């Protein structure tokens, strides 16, 4: 059983080389779930800031790219399916690393539960069934999709590569097409204005802060590529590059569709349509029923997101089981498929159980809505720690060039600062139950942390430092960025840990 420092080779247990850089880009886009996110988040964003929604998305994408850069360069130093769980432990403190992994597992599991019903609703709506309004039937159909995705994840990431590319390609093409059609439509609800990208539309009722809380959550999911680094060819560069490119692609799609919604519908109509924003846009720009194709985009997006979110949860649990910071059985790999089957079965059982309970009880749906809002705190938490970690690891080389200072320091730290601000600003915006779930879930992670610290996971709490001087593992284009003359990784500490703790 290998520990924290295994790389993505045969010894780690997972099947190395299953994915390429293009596959990572597809994974990142699928993780963000463009069509699903547009239907779920853009109406709320436009309700919060009106015509200024494109400005919020643009200015929130900039710090998020800083977090993606942090993932890229941390991943070049440590190939680990746990991603932030490993990186934060080795650069800041093992306790913070464990809580980063815990935050990701909780947030992904809650998201999976909340996504089963929308997957069923989209399926039933696509076939024209009136049962799409029945929450119980929709949840059962959504559970069927989830089980299919769980089987794909258990069988191996390679099996779904082509289907995943089709799912992502179709939904992105449909979204871009409807956005462009809105730009050239004959009778728009509002004419395009460059002022939508400025600050002129913000006022006391439409604040940037209110929009940023929603926009920040909209970009979540691209980091699935980091959890698949052990299974990606050229894992030290391919996975991180895929996440960065995927985030940029998704950001452009979000901006185009939001601008298109302003033009085709206007803020008031978008708010009135709510989750039906894409259908309303389709009817406005493609009259005659062609707009119903966008239901297909929502379905494909939801199903693809189920898979990528499940991958994040299972790979992180696998890493934690491998290090024995959670039960060792979670680190078991299928002998033939080399996938973390125990972690997959565990997450599937939890998701199906909770989804069943929320459907059977009237209060369960409200509870899941609160939980979905509360996990924004967990996402901001582990993203912020990643942004800080990359600057800490490379702090001795930051001032060797402008590129190093910006890409390894200022931009990731700016992203971390943005996430900390989102975390703090969210607190007064959330209800007591949402705060209890979000902060309570993080606090609950202290219990397994204490058990691991005093038990079998002690090797995790004595990690090697991340070494920014590994020029031999960096691509030629990035050697100058991460390489530096040896200065003593531990900065004079006898234990050699690259941390100020």
């Amino acid at each position: 059983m290998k520990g924290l420092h295994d790389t993505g080779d045969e010894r780690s247990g997972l099947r190395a080389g299953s994915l390429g850089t293009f596959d990572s880009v597809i994974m990142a886009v699928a993780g963000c779930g463009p069509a699903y996110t547009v239907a779920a988040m853009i109406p709320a964003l436009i309700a919060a800031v009106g015509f200024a929604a494109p400005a919020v998305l643009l200015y929130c994408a900039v710090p998020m790219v800083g977090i993606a850069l942090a993932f890229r360069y941390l991943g070049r130093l440590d190939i680990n399916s746990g991603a932030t769980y490993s990186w934060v432990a080795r650069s800041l403190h093992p306790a913070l690393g464990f809580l980063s992994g815990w935050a990701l597992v909780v947030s992904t599991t809650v998201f999976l539960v909340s996504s089963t019903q929308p997957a069923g609703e989209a399926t039933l709506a696509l076939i024209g069934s009136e049962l799409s309004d029945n929450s119980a039937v929709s949840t059962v159909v959504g559970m069927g999709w989830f089980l299919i995705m769980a089987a794909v994840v258990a069988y191996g990431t390679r099996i779904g590569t082509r289907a995943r590319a089709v799912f992502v390609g179709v939904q992105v093409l449909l979204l871009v097409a409807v956005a462009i059609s809105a730009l050239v439509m004959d009778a728009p609800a509002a004419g395009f204005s460059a002022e939508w990208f400025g600050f002129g539309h913000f006022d006391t009722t439409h604040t940037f802060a209110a929009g940023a809380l929603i926009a920040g959550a909209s970009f979540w999911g691209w980091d699935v590529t980091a959890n698949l680094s052990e299974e990606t060819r050229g894992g030290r560069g391919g996975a991180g590059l895929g996440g960065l490119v995927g985030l940029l692609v998704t950001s452009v799609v979000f901006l185009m569709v939001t601008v298109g919604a302003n033009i085709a519908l206007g803020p008031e109509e978008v708010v009135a349509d709510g989750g039906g924003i894409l259908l309303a846009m389709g009817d406005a720009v493609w009259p005659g029923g062609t707009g119903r194709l966008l239901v297909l985009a929502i379905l494909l997006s939801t199903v693809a997101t189920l898979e990528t979110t499940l991958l994040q949860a299972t790979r992180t649990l696998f890493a934690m089981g491998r290090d024995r910071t959670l039960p060792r059985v979670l680190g078991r790999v299928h002998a033939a498929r080399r996938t973390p089957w125990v972690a997959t079965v565990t997450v599937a059982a939890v998701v199906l159980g909770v989804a069943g309970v929320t459907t059977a009880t009237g209060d369960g749906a409200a509870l899941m809505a609160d939980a979905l809002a509360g996990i924004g705190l967990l996402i901001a938490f582990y993203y912020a720690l990643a942004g800080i970690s990359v600057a800490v690891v490379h702090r001795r080389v930051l001032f060797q060039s402008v590129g190093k200072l910006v890409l390894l320091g200022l931009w990731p730290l700016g992203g971390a600062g943005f996430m900390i601000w989102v975390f703090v600003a969210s607190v007064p915006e959330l209800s007591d139950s949402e705060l209890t779930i979000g902060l309570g879930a993080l606090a609950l992670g202290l219990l397994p942390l204490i058990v691991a610290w005093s038990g079998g996971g002690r090797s995790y709490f004595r990690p090697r430092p991340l070494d920014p001087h590994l020029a031999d593992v960096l691509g030629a284009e990035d050697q100058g960025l991460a390489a530096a003359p040896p200065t003593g990784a531990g900065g004079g500490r006898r234990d050699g840990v690259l941390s100020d703790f």
Side-chain angles (χ1 to χ4, degrees), residues 40 59 136 166 198 217 252 347 353 357 432 440:
Y59 300 133
V166 172
V252 172
V347 175
V357 171
D432 291 341

Side-chain angles (χ1 to χ4, degrees), residues 418-458:
F418 173 74
M419 290 300 158
I420 293 171
W421 173 75
V422 167
F423 187 102
V424 174
S426 295
V427 172
E429 300 289 332
L430 298 176
S431 66
D432 291 341
S433 59
E434 291 168 343
L435 283 174
T436 300
I437 292 172
L439 296 179
L442 192 59
L444 186 63
L446 294 174
L447 296 179
L449 171 62
I450 293 172
V451 173
W453 202 317
S454 60
R458 291 188 177 183

Side-chain angles (χ1 to χ4, degrees), residues 275-319:
I277 177 177
L278 284 176
L279 285 179
M281 285 184 66
D283 291 339
V285 303
W286 298 330
T290 308
R292 300 290 301 179
L293 282 173
L294 290 170
V295 177
L296 176 62
I298 297 173
L299 174 59
L300 295 178
S301 179
T302 306
V303 172
T305 304
L306 285 175
E307 182 197 10
T308 56
T309 307
L310 184 59
L311 284 167
Q312 280 193 283
T314 57
R315 268 47 181 183
T316 303
L317 278 179
F318 164 74

Side-chain angles (χ1 to χ4, degrees), residues 33-414:
Y36 177 87
T37 301
V38 166
M41 306 295 287
I42 298 305
L45 177 61
I46 292 178
V49 297
F51 281 116
V56 174
L57 284 171
L58 177 62
Y59 300 133
C60 289
V62 174
M64 187 62 74
V65 170
I67 301 300
L69 287 170
F71 272 71
R72 172 162 169 70
Y73 289 107
L74 287 170
R76 295 180 72 81
L77 299 178
D78 181 21
I79 298 176
N80 193 293
S81 61
T84 54
Y85 158 77
S86 172
W87 303 335
V88 174
R90 298 180 63 184
S91 57
L92 298 180
H93 195 277
L96 291 176
F98 180 92
L99 291 176
S100 293
W102 179 264
L104 185 144
V105 170
V106 172
S107 56
T108 50
T109 302
V110 169
F111 182 82
L112 286 168
V113 174
S114 67
S115 298
T116 53
Q117 184 176 332
E121 290 176 348
T123 303
L124 295 170
L126 184 63
I127 63 177
S129 174
E130 296 179 356
L131 293 174
S132 60
D133 294 328
N134 187 308
S135 61
V137 176
S138 295
T139 300
V140 171
V141 174
M143 285 181 176
W145 276 117
F146 174 75
L147 286 173
I148 292 174
M149 291 300 101
V152 170
V153 170
Y155 192 80
T157 56
R158 185 177 297 172
I159 185 176
T161 299
R162 292 183 180 178
R164 193 181 306 118
V166 172
F167 283 14
V168 170
V170 170
Q171 66 172 295
V172 169
L173 285 175
L174 285 172
L175 291 176
V176 171
V178 75
I180 293 176
S181 297
L183 287 171
V184 298
M185 65 186 298
D186 294 331
F192 173 79
S193 174
E195 294 181 358
W196 294 347
F197 295 92
F199 290 89
H201 289 282
F202 294 111
D203 53 36
T204 56
T205 59
H206 298 89
T207 65
F208 178 81
L213 299 180
I214 300 169
S218 299
F219 290 114
W220 178 52
W222 54 267
D223 50 311
V224 62
T225 59
N227 298 105
L228 295 172
S229 60
E230 294 185 29
E231 300 159 82
T232 303
R233 292 188 294 274
R236 291 194 184 273
L241 179 61
L244 179 60
V245 173
L247 172 61
L248 293 174
V249 170
T250 305
S251 300
V252 172
V253 173
F254 285 166
L255 276 172
M256 292 181 66
V257 176
T258 304
V259 170
N262 277 350
I263 294 172
L265 304 175
E268 292 184 2
E269 181 64 24
V270 169
V271 174
D273 291 322
I277 177 177
L278 284 176
L279 285 179
M281 285 184 66
D283 291 339
V285 303
W286 298 330
T290 308
R292 300 290 301 179
L293 282 173
L294 290 170
V295 177
L296 176 62
I298 297 173
L299 174 59
L300 295 178
S301 179
T302 306
V303 172
T305 304
L306 285 175
E307 182 197 10
T308 56
T309 307
L310 184 59
L311 284 167
Q312 280 193 283
T314 57
R315 268 47 181 183
T316 303
L317 278 179
F318 164 74
M320 299 174 89
R322 182 174 60 186
D323 295 336
R324 304 185 191 181
T325 54
L326 286 182
R328 182 178 179 180
V329 68
L330 293 171
R332 288 186 179 178
V333 175
H334 190 277
R337 305 309 311 170
R338 298 225 304 276
T339 57
W341 70 273
V342 176
T344 303
V345 170
T346 300
V347 175
V350 171
V351 169
L352 293 176
V354 176
V357 171
T358 57
T359 303
T361 61
D363 294 336
L367 178 64
M368 284 311 303
D370 290 343
L372 193 59
I375 65 173
L377 298 174
L378 304 179
I379 297 168
F381 173 78
Y382 81 82
Y383 274 178
L385 288 177
I388 295 171
S389 293
V390 73
V392 168
V393 168
H394 295 92
R395 66 188 184 276
R396 302 187 189 283
V397 303
L398 291 181
F399 295 99
Q400 292 184 353
S401 72
V402 174
K404 294 174 185 176
L405 180 62
V406 173
L407 299 180
L408 296 172
L410 296 181
W411 207 338
L413 286 176

